[in-house]
Amino acid sequence: MPASRSPAYTLAVVCAAVPGVPVTATGTAEALGDIGADLRADLAATQWVVNAFFLTFAALMACTGSLADRIGRRRMFAGGLTLFAAAMLLAAAAQDIGVLILARALAGVGAAATTTGGSALLAHAFPGRVSRTKAFAWFGTTIGLGLAFGPMIAGVLVTAIGWRSLFTAAALVLLPILPATALLTESRAPARGPVDWGGAITFTLGLTAFTFAVVEGPALGWAHPGVTGGFVACAVLLAAFAVIERRHPAPLVDLSLLARPRFVAISSMPFLLAFGFVAPTIVLPPYLMATLGYSARQAGLALILLTGPTLIVPPLTGVMARRLSQRALLVTTLLLVGAGTGLLALLPGGSGPALLAAPLLIIGIGFGVSLAIMDGAAISSVDASQAGMAAGLFNTARITGEVVAIAVLGAVLSTLTQASLTIRYGTADAARATSRLLQGDMAGAVPPGADHLEFARLATAGYAGALHTALWILTALSLAGALVVGHLMSVRRAEPAALTA
């Protein structure tokens, strides 16, 4: 087999291509303040710059994964990369917030095709259980490092050149990789039945309805018909999705995988870590910029305390994995993340890097442990014939978790911060001030005629109080998750011995 078509070449190309996806996912938070000021957009609009990407990314994961098996895995991967790069260039050139949101939504479509196409390529290139587990461990680590270092990379670019440079750089990095995809081996799976369009549509619309309701809730009011209607539509559509998947001869998601306790436990990990790690990487930079006066670059560099351990911990975890069970490592991950978010919630508002160091390092260490084992563990927990489906479902859980976590955490911060400022400044000024604060702009948040020092004190206290409440929620979620994952990983339910070791 020529070197260009070897499994190692496939792994190298896929792992070289995917980091741009998570870098722009988490890194965009550093640019929101500048985007809002440059394009004259409020908080709700700038939040959609982040949420539009995650929405289409998550909603189309299962669909692009299924189509990759039909139209060709290499074709899906290469097409996704091309669309992602083009969307990034459109985002960099956008002169209107609507165009930028559209570009980010298109980038999410490209990211979904890239990620699922890449997963399918790896599953086909590495048919053996051991080699496949190792390949997906590399794949997961690459994505995790992109998520972790997105804020730092974005902070440096945004401060030095401007927010458009983040999207331009993401596109330019892919240019030398696109020709390399032509040398990948194409593969398809035998068609098992008609395309599950019903499942694709109901899942996509259900997640869209939920994200709209959560993002717009603080602005419109939780009792607004559009918000309550969004939640109701989500419940109805996802119930319909479950019915369709059970009846379709070739479903997007094989729900029988959810009967495997180990797979459910492992697949819940990225969902839980989206709350404990990914969402904080999105909300902490604007918080540091608003309460400490940091630039985007300083905020990104401060987050090295959170992301730095992801460079060191995965190799060490690989060594520990020879002596410790997957159950022990996954539970340890959640306990560390829960401990870190709990300690972070105890710090007073306006705390600098010296006080932030310990809790951020603990969270980063916990996330680093997961990088070395999660993707490989998910694939190894099912039969070899279901590896592609398992990868798609696992990645759907991962990105759906990020959509939900970012939307929920943003809603909590917006609602509670605005409530604390309304007491002193009234509803209209509090809403405008909260919009600027959550974009990292303390100076621009000061209401007309208000004393700057008094407002800064009250805003810092209100913003910090909202963040602390959110962090306690994350702590409770991580600790509860540790109990559930530990229990599910210990369950033996008539699974093959090779899968339960």
Side-chain angles (χ1 to χ4, degrees), residues 183-241:
L183 299 178
L184 295 170
T185 301
E186 183 61 284
S187 63
R188 295 177 178 83
R192 296 175 298 144
V195 176
D196 182 11
W197 294 116
I201 292 171
T202 52
F203 183 80
T204 301
L205 293 180
L207 191 58
T208 300
F210 177 83
T211 304
F212 172 84
V214 172
V215 172
E216 296 297 329
L220 299 178
W222 296 107
H224 188 278
V227 175
T228 56
F231 287 124
V232 171
C234 172
V236 172
L237 287 165
L238 293 186
F241 170 74

Side-chain angles (χ1 to χ4, degrees), residues 394-412:
F394 178 78
N395 282 308
T396 298
R398 167 186 273 146
I399 308 304
T400 302
E402 291 168 5
V403 172
V404 174
I406 293 168
V408 169
L409 203 59
V412 170

